[in-house]
Amino acid sequence: MKKNNKPLIIIIFVFILELVIIGALGVTFLKSINSIEQKIQGQEIKDIHQLQTECRDVKEVIKRELVISMVACALMTIILVVYLSHMVIYPLKKMIESKEKRERAEETEIKTRLLHMTEGIIAFDINGKIDLINPAAKMLLKISPEDYTFEDIFNKFKLDINMEKLIYLEDLTSMDQVIDVEDKTVKVLFAPFRNEENNKPEGIIAVIQDITESVKLDTMRKEFVADVSHELKTPITSIMGYTDTLLEGDYDEETQREFLQVVSSEARRMAKLVTDLLELSRIDNNRKNVRKVSFDLGALAKECQKKLAIEIKKKKHHVECLVTADVPPVYADKDDIQRVILNILTNSIKYTPDGGNIKIYVGFVYNDAYIKIIDNGIGIPEEDLNRIFERFYRVDKSRAREMGGSGLGLSIAKEILDKNGGSIDIKSQVNKGTEVVIKIPTK
Ligand code: ADP
């Protein structure tokens, strides 16, 4: 970097100039005294009056020169000051100003970021008083305007933690706590911060994250594993029980047949469960390709009815399929939609007492074609309706299991319809019946 020596040269120059002026003044002064001395020695000055006159003259000369040199020095000093302020002080001031501006901009940026962060941030000073807090922290921890300190905020959650512990535990770098705040679960990470120069603790930073969703997902995952194990264990136990009995005893053909029928139906239940689980896993992992084609929804509904003819006949239901004339072709994965219709229709057949009435309507509304399946079966209690699409959710577990249900059908139906841009809605009344409406987009 090139060094600017100009100010230094100017200062040295002015300094030398001033020295020259002072020197010249001194020389004049000495000269005047010498001339008086010579005049005294040469007896040009004879009396005290003459000496006084000579001294007055010298005084006048010195006075005049002194004024001139003072004016010259003052002028030079003014010029120097003006120059320096221009060359040094002004740029220095500008530099400080721009630094302050930069710092202010950085501060504003930090404040803006804190303001819009989804994570909550609170900085406490060494006495536990809030130094800084962002809106997310206030919202996540439900902080009221009366909360000013660490204790005010965290004492109500009964944590096994306090300022002293966080600040003075030498080996503690950070610590987190999971807190339930009303209907949310939050994770708070506490970290002490220290002065960079002397390493003394200055306070604590708390970072608050909303982990409600991940806790929910974790619980769901655990429940799912427990449910799957339970669902598989039940038929396995039953199969083992019947086969062991068959192997141990000498049963007549009819009893053997009866036992084998149970084994067969339990094995089928397990197979259905595994197929459903595989389907769910394919949907979850996005491994399921949606192959959309245009097809006739009315024709598909009738096909599904035919496929379930044996079950319908077994339960002596009366099933009617009515298709409105003007339904345009739907645009979706045909196999997927068939699976959904079979599922909903199977539910109506299963959960309607023998000799029931099931109606299938296919129509068109706005841009969607719909299929409505109405039964006059046992219905679903209102409190269960909003949970019906959850995996493994069954209204009456034992009864549904008896009927071969796994509680996965509706959740699969919903996921399939989501993927195909459709929707599913259920209305039901206990002992009156259930109405399921599926909407599928047309092209
Ligand atoms: P499942 O394989 O057990 O039938 P679903 O996910 O298809 O599983 O259905 C979930 C639960 O919803 C069923 O266990 C049943 O209790 C209830 N349900 C579904 N459809 C009907 C219906 N048409 N009538 C009465 N209850 C039904």
mmCIF file of all heavy atoms in Angstrom, residues 398-434:
data_model
loop_
_atom_site.group_PDB
_atom_site.id
_atom_site.type_symbol
_atom_site.label_atom_id
_atom_site.label_comp_id
_atom_site.label_asym_id
_atom_site.label_seq_id
_atom_site.Cartn_x
_atom_site.Cartn_y
_atom_site.Cartn_z
ATOM 1 N N SER A 398 -62.094 -54.185 18.211
ATOM 2 C CA SER A 398 -62.315 -55.620 18.189
ATOM 3 C C SER A 398 -63.317 -56.024 17.102
ATOM 4 O O SER A 398 -63.098 -56.970 16.360
ATOM 5 C CB SER A 398 -62.800 -56.092 19.558
ATOM 6 O OG SER A 398 -63.981 -55.405 19.858
ATOM 7 N N ARG A 399 -64.369 -55.152 16.961
ATOM 8 C CA ARG A 399 -65.383 -55.488 15.963
ATOM 9 C C ARG A 399 -64.795 -55.379 14.549
ATOM 10 O O ARG A 399 -64.973 -56.255 13.718
ATOM 11 C CB ARG A 399 -66.590 -54.553 16.108
ATOM 12 C CG ARG A 399 -67.769 -55.012 15.298
ATOM 13 C CD ARG A 399 -68.768 -53.905 15.117
ATOM 14 N NE ARG A 399 -68.130 -52.748 14.507
ATOM 15 C CZ ARG A 399 -68.695 -51.555 14.457
ATOM 16 N NH1 ARG A 399 -69.851 -51.346 15.019
ATOM 17 N NH2 ARG A 399 -68.086 -50.560 13.868
ATOM 18 N N ALA A 400 -64.011 -54.281 14.312
ATOM 19 C CA ALA A 400 -63.431 -54.084 12.986
ATOM 20 C C ALA A 400 -62.458 -55.214 12.654
ATOM 21 O O ALA A 400 -62.379 -55.671 11.523
ATOM 22 C CB ALA A 400 -62.717 -52.741 12.925
ATOM 23 N N ARG A 401 -61.703 -55.656 13.697
ATOM 24 C CA ARG A 401 -60.729 -56.726 13.457
ATOM 25 C C ARG A 401 -61.442 -58.022 13.073
ATOM 26 O O ARG A 401 -61.033 -58.742 12.178
ATOM 27 C CB ARG A 401 -59.856 -56.929 14.689
ATOM 28 C CG ARG A 401 -58.584 -57.680 14.347
ATOM 29 C CD ARG A 401 -57.682 -57.855 15.533
ATOM 30 N NE ARG A 401 -57.133 -56.604 16.003
ATOM 31 C CZ ARG A 401 -57.195 -56.219 17.263
ATOM 32 N NH1 ARG A 401 -57.810 -56.960 18.157
ATOM 33 N NH2 ARG A 401 -56.643 -55.097 17.636
ATOM 34 N N GLU A 402 -62.569 -58.240 13.790
ATOM 35 C CA GLU A 402 -63.377 -59.422 13.484
ATOM 36 C C GLU A 402 -63.792 -59.439 12.013
ATOM 37 O O GLU A 402 -63.866 -60.464 11.369
ATOM 38 C CB GLU A 402 -64.681 -59.342 14.292
ATOM 39 C CG GLU A 402 -64.792 -60.358 15.397
ATOM 40 C CD GLU A 402 -65.978 -59.984 16.269
ATOM 41 O OE1 GLU A 402 -67.082 -59.801 15.725
ATOM 42 O OE2 GLU A 402 -65.770 -59.854 17.494
ATOM 43 N N MET A 403 -64.039 -58.223 11.501
ATOM 44 C CA MET A 403 -64.492 -58.117 10.115
ATOM 45 C C MET A 403 -63.322 -58.063 9.144
ATOM 46 O O MET A 403 -63.502 -57.773 7.967
ATOM 47 C CB MET A 403 -65.358 -56.876 9.953
ATOM 48 C CG MET A 403 -66.648 -56.977 10.727
ATOM 49 S SD MET A 403 -67.579 -55.492 10.525
ATOM 50 C CE MET A 403 -68.999 -55.846 11.515
ATOM 51 N N GLY A 404 -62.145 -58.307 9.647
ATOM 52 C CA GLY A 404 -60.969 -58.353 8.773
ATOM 53 C C GLY A 404 -60.382 -56.993 8.460
ATOM 54 O O GLY A 404 -59.597 -56.848 7.536
ATOM 55 N N GLY A 405 -60.771 -55.993 9.238
ATOM 56 C CA GLY A 405 -60.246 -54.635 8.965
ATOM 57 C C GLY A 405 -58.914 -54.372 9.645
ATOM 58 O O GLY A 405 -58.668 -54.854 10.743
ATOM 59 N N SER A 406 -58.081 -53.604 8.959
ATOM 60 C CA SER A 406 -56.770 -53.287 9.544
ATOM 61 C C SER A 406 -56.700 -51.831 9.980
ATOM 62 O O SER A 406 -55.784 -51.426 10.678
ATOM 63 C CB SER A 406 -55.680 -53.530 8.505
ATOM 64 O OG SER A 406 -55.873 -52.639 7.417
ATOM 65 N N GLY A 407 -57.679 -51.024 9.559
ATOM 66 C CA GLY A 407 -57.650 -49.595 9.895
ATOM 67 C C GLY A 407 -56.710 -48.821 8.985
ATOM 68 O O GLY A 407 -56.340 -47.687 9.291
ATOM 69 N N LEU A 408 -56.305 -49.434 7.877
ATOM 70 C CA LEU A 408 -55.389 -48.738 6.957
ATOM 71 C C LEU A 408 -56.096 -48.271 5.691
ATOM 72 O O LEU A 408 -55.602 -47.404 4.980
ATOM 73 C CB LEU A 408 -54.238 -49.673 6.558
ATOM 74 C CG LEU A 408 -53.195 -49.975 7.638
ATOM 75 C CD1 LEU A 408 -52.182 -50.978 7.123
ATOM 76 C CD2 LEU A 408 -52.484 -48.714 8.076
ATOM 77 N N GLY A 409 -57.265 -48.864 5.421
ATOM 78 C CA GLY A 409 -57.958 -48.617 4.145
ATOM 79 C C GLY A 409 -58.207 -47.147 3.860
ATOM 80 O O GLY A 409 -57.856 -46.653 2.785
ATOM 81 N N LEU A 410 -58.815 -46.427 4.823
ATOM 82 C CA LEU A 410 -59.159 -45.035 4.552
ATOM 83 C C LEU A 410 -57.932 -44.139 4.460
ATOM 84 O O LEU A 410 -57.911 -43.181 3.695
ATOM 85 C CB LEU A 410 -60.114 -44.509 5.629
ATOM 86 C CG LEU A 410 -61.560 -45.008 5.513
ATOM 87 C CD1 LEU A 410 -62.419 -44.447 6.645
ATOM 88 C CD2 LEU A 410 -62.167 -44.613 4.180
ATOM 89 N N SER A 411 -56.891 -44.480 5.265
ATOM 90 C CA SER A 411 -55.691 -43.638 5.176
ATOM 91 C C SER A 411 -55.023 -43.828 3.815
ATOM 92 O O SER A 411 -54.549 -42.862 3.215
ATOM 93 C CB SER A 411 -54.720 -43.902 6.328
ATOM 94 O OG SER A 411 -54.345 -45.242 6.342
ATOM 95 N N ILE A 412 -55.031 -45.063 3.301
ATOM 96 C CA ILE A 412 -54.469 -45.290 1.969
ATOM 97 C C ILE A 412 -55.302 -44.537 0.923
ATOM 98 O O ILE A 412 -54.763 -43.855 0.056
ATOM 99 C CB ILE A 412 -54.417 -46.808 1.639
ATOM 100 C CG1 ILE A 412 -53.392 -47.491 2.543
ATOM 101 C CG2 ILE A 412 -54.077 -47.039 0.174
ATOM 102 C CD1 ILE A 412 -53.293 -48.997 2.361
ATOM 103 N N ALA A 413 -56.650 -44.629 1.079
ATOM 104 C CA ALA A 413 -57.534 -43.947 0.127
ATOM 105 C C ALA A 413 -57.230 -42.452 0.081
ATOM 106 O O ALA A 413 -57.118 -41.849 -0.986
ATOM 107 C CB ALA A 413 -58.989 -44.177 0.524
ATOM 108 N N LYS A 414 -57.068 -41.866 1.250
ATOM 109 C CA LYS A 414 -56.815 -40.419 1.315
ATOM 110 C C LYS A 414 -55.488 -40.067 0.639
ATOM 111 O O LYS A 414 -55.400 -39.114 -0.135
ATOM 112 C CB LYS A 414 -56.826 -39.955 2.772
ATOM 113 C CG LYS A 414 -56.696 -38.469 2.871
ATOM 114 C CD LYS A 414 -57.147 -37.939 4.187
ATOM 115 C CE LYS A 414 -56.801 -36.485 4.390
ATOM 116 N NZ LYS A 414 -56.702 -35.664 3.213
ATOM 117 N N GLU A 415 -54.452 -40.858 0.952
ATOM 118 C CA GLU A 415 -53.124 -40.568 0.364
ATOM 119 C C GLU A 415 -53.175 -40.709 -1.155
ATOM 120 O O GLU A 415 -52.604 -39.905 -1.877
ATOM 121 C CB GLU A 415 -52.077 -41.525 0.933
ATOM 122 C CG GLU A 415 -52.060 -41.517 2.446
ATOM 123 C CD GLU A 415 -50.731 -41.112 3.038
ATOM 124 O OE1 GLU A 415 -49.873 -40.647 2.299
ATOM 125 O OE2 GLU A 415 -50.591 -41.272 4.264
ATOM 126 N N ILE A 416 -53.876 -41.740 -1.622
ATOM 127 C CA ILE A 416 -53.976 -41.951 -3.076
ATOM 128 C C ILE A 416 -54.681 -40.769 -3.725
ATOM 129 O O ILE A 416 -54.238 -40.227 -4.735
ATOM 130 C CB ILE A 416 -54.744 -43.267 -3.374
ATOM 131 C CG1 ILE A 416 -53.844 -44.470 -3.079
ATOM 132 C CG2 ILE A 416 -55.238 -43.296 -4.811
ATOM 133 C CD1 ILE A 416 -54.506 -45.818 -3.295
ATOM 134 N N LEU A 417 -55.793 -40.320 -3.106
ATOM 135 C CA LEU A 417 -56.543 -39.213 -3.696
ATOM 136 C C LEU A 417 -55.732 -37.919 -3.671
ATOM 137 O O LEU A 417 -55.777 -37.134 -4.611
ATOM 138 C CB LEU A 417 -57.889 -39.042 -2.996
ATOM 139 C CG LEU A 417 -58.861 -40.161 -3.357
ATOM 140 C CD1 LEU A 417 -60.034 -40.202 -2.420
ATOM 141 C CD2 LEU A 417 -59.349 -40.006 -4.799
ATOM 142 N N ASP A 418 -54.975 -37.714 -2.591
ATOM 143 C CA ASP A 418 -54.098 -36.528 -2.539
ATOM 144 C C ASP A 418 -53.141 -36.535 -3.725
ATOM 145 O O ASP A 418 -52.929 -35.524 -4.377
ATOM 146 C CB ASP A 418 -53.278 -36.515 -1.236
ATOM 147 C CG ASP A 418 -54.117 -36.044 -0.054
ATOM 148 O OD1 ASP A 418 -55.223 -35.527 -0.297
ATOM 149 O OD2 ASP A 418 -53.668 -36.210 1.106
ATOM 150 N N LYS A 419 -52.560 -37.703 -3.982
ATOM 151 C CA LYS A 419 -51.576 -37.816 -5.072
ATOM 152 C C LYS A 419 -52.212 -37.615 -6.444
ATOM 153 O O LYS A 419 -51.562 -37.210 -7.381
ATOM 154 C CB LYS A 419 -50.924 -39.204 -5.030
ATOM 155 C CG LYS A 419 -49.794 -39.276 -4.029
ATOM 156 C CD LYS A 419 -48.784 -40.279 -4.481
ATOM 157 C CE LYS A 419 -47.653 -40.468 -3.509
ATOM 158 N NZ LYS A 419 -46.963 -39.298 -3.102
ATOM 159 N N ASN A 420 -53.507 -37.918 -6.532
ATOM 160 C CA ASN A 420 -54.189 -37.799 -7.829
ATOM 161 C C ASN A 420 -54.973 -36.489 -7.957
ATOM 162 O O ASN A 420 -55.755 -36.320 -8.889
ATOM 163 C CB ASN A 420 -55.137 -38.988 -8.026
ATOM 164 C CG ASN A 420 -54.387 -40.227 -8.482
ATOM 165 O OD1 ASN A 420 -54.084 -40.379 -9.650
ATOM 166 N ND2 ASN A 420 -54.035 -41.098 -7.537
ATOM 167 N N GLY A 421 -54.782 -35.598 -6.998
ATOM 168 C CA GLY A 421 -55.464 -34.295 -7.051
ATOM 169 C C GLY A 421 -56.936 -34.375 -6.704
ATOM 170 O O GLY A 421 -57.713 -33.477 -7.030
ATOM 171 N N GLY A 422 -57.346 -35.446 -6.049
ATOM 172 C CA GLY A 422 -58.751 -35.594 -5.666
ATOM 173 C C GLY A 422 -58.959 -35.341 -4.185
ATOM 174 O O GLY A 422 -58.076 -34.823 -3.498
ATOM 175 N N SER A 423 -60.147 -35.717 -3.687
ATOM 176 C CA SER A 423 -60.415 -35.532 -2.254
ATOM 177 C C SER A 423 -61.428 -36.570 -1.785
ATOM 178 O O SER A 423 -62.092 -37.219 -2.597
ATOM 179 C CB SER A 423 -60.963 -34.132 -2.005
ATOM 180 O OG SER A 423 -62.225 -34.007 -2.618
ATOM 181 N N ILE A 424 -61.507 -36.719 -0.471
ATOM 182 C CA ILE A 424 -62.486 -37.666 0.088
ATOM 183 C C ILE A 424 -63.151 -37.030 1.303
ATOM 184 O O ILE A 424 -62.497 -36.329 2.081
ATOM 185 C CB ILE A 424 -61.814 -39.021 0.440
ATOM 186 C CG1 ILE A 424 -62.843 -39.996 1.055
ATOM 187 C CG2 ILE A 424 -60.645 -38.875 1.391
ATOM 188 C CD1 ILE A 424 -62.391 -41.442 1.079
ATOM 189 N N ASP A 425 -64.450 -37.226 1.418
ATOM 190 C CA ASP A 425 -65.233 -36.660 2.527
ATOM 191 C C ASP A 425 -66.173 -37.711 3.083
ATOM 192 O O ASP A 425 -66.752 -38.476 2.310
ATOM 193 C CB ASP A 425 -66.098 -35.516 1.992
ATOM 194 C CG ASP A 425 -65.485 -34.193 2.363
ATOM 195 O OD1 ASP A 425 -65.104 -34.045 3.523
ATOM 196 O OD2 ASP A 425 -65.384 -33.333 1.457
ATOM 197 N N ILE A 426 -66.329 -37.723 4.416
ATOM 198 C CA ILE A 426 -67.241 -38.723 5.001
ATOM 199 C C ILE A 426 -68.257 -38.036 5.901
ATOM 200 O O ILE A 426 -67.897 -37.160 6.700
ATOM 201 C CB ILE A 426 -66.457 -39.772 5.833
ATOM 202 C CG1 ILE A 426 -65.616 -40.647 4.916
ATOM 203 C CG2 ILE A 426 -67.399 -40.628 6.649
ATOM 204 C CD1 ILE A 426 -65.167 -41.955 5.525
ATOM 205 N N LYS A 427 -69.517 -38.421 5.720
ATOM 206 C CA LYS A 427 -70.553 -37.961 6.652
ATOM 207 C C LYS A 427 -71.191 -39.235 7.188
ATOM 208 O O LYS A 427 -71.331 -40.218 6.446
ATOM 209 C CB LYS A 427 -71.637 -37.172 5.919
ATOM 210 C CG LYS A 427 -71.218 -35.760 5.601
ATOM 211 C CD LYS A 427 -72.422 -35.010 5.059
ATOM 212 C CE LYS A 427 -71.959 -33.987 4.031
ATOM 213 N NZ LYS A 427 -72.872 -33.855 2.923
ATOM 214 N N SER A 428 -71.538 -39.219 8.466
ATOM 215 C CA SER A 428 -72.110 -40.450 9.001
ATOM 216 C C SER A 428 -72.962 -40.196 10.235
ATOM 217 O O SER A 428 -72.770 -39.196 10.934
ATOM 218 C CB SER A 428 -70.967 -41.411 9.350
ATOM 219 O OG SER A 428 -71.496 -42.675 9.658
ATOM 220 N N GLN A 429 -73.902 -41.072 10.452
ATOM 221 C CA GLN A 429 -74.718 -41.011 11.664
ATOM 222 C C GLN A 429 -74.858 -42.432 12.190
ATOM 223 O O GLN A 429 -75.149 -43.361 11.405
ATOM 224 C CB GLN A 429 -76.109 -40.467 11.327
ATOM 225 C CG GLN A 429 -76.220 -38.974 11.599
ATOM 226 C CD GLN A 429 -77.631 -38.506 11.340
ATOM 227 O OE1 GLN A 429 -78.126 -38.647 10.223
ATOM 228 N NE2 GLN A 429 -78.280 -37.983 12.360
ATOM 229 N N VAL A 430 -74.638 -42.566 13.502
ATOM 230 C CA VAL A 430 -74.688 -43.902 14.084
ATOM 231 C C VAL A 430 -76.075 -44.527 13.853
ATOM 232 O O VAL A 430 -77.102 -43.873 14.036
ATOM 233 C CB VAL A 430 -74.359 -43.831 15.595
ATOM 234 C CG1 VAL A 430 -74.528 -45.185 16.265
ATOM 235 C CG2 VAL A 430 -72.930 -43.338 15.787
ATOM 236 N N ASN A 431 -76.052 -45.780 13.429
ATOM 237 C CA ASN A 431 -77.276 -46.573 13.150
ATOM 238 C C ASN A 431 -78.135 -46.057 12.004
ATOM 239 O O ASN A 431 -79.216 -46.576 11.765
ATOM 240 C CB ASN A 431 -78.150 -46.719 14.411
ATOM 241 C CG ASN A 431 -77.420 -47.532 15.452
ATOM 242 O OD1 ASN A 431 -76.612 -48.403 15.108
ATOM 243 N ND2 ASN A 431 -77.669 -47.235 16.722
ATOM 244 N N LYS A 432 -77.669 -45.013 11.338
ATOM 245 C CA LYS A 432 -78.438 -44.513 10.180
ATOM 246 C C LYS A 432 -77.686 -44.828 8.889
ATOM 247 O O LYS A 432 -78.291 -45.200 7.895
ATOM 248 C CB LYS A 432 -78.641 -43.004 10.284
ATOM 249 C CG LYS A 432 -79.624 -42.598 11.358
ATOM 250 C CD LYS A 432 -80.687 -41.700 10.748
ATOM 251 C CE LYS A 432 -81.872 -41.552 11.633
ATOM 252 N NZ LYS A 432 -81.809 -40.378 12.497
ATOM 253 N N GLY A 433 -76.370 -44.637 8.934
ATOM 254 C CA GLY A 433 -75.606 -44.936 7.723
ATOM 255 C C GLY A 433 -74.475 -43.961 7.464
ATOM 256 O O GLY A 433 -74.270 -43.002 8.214
ATOM 257 N N THR A 434 -73.736 -44.243 6.393
ATOM 258 C CA THR A 434 -72.538 -43.471 6.072
ATOM 259 C C THR A 434 -72.566 -43.046 4.610
ATOM 260 O O THR A 434 -73.052 -43.784 3.757
ATOM 261 C CB THR A 434 -71.289 -44.351 6.354
ATOM 262 O OG1 THR A 434 -71.338 -44.748 7.720
ATOM 263 C CG2 THR A 434 -69.992 -43.619 6.081
#
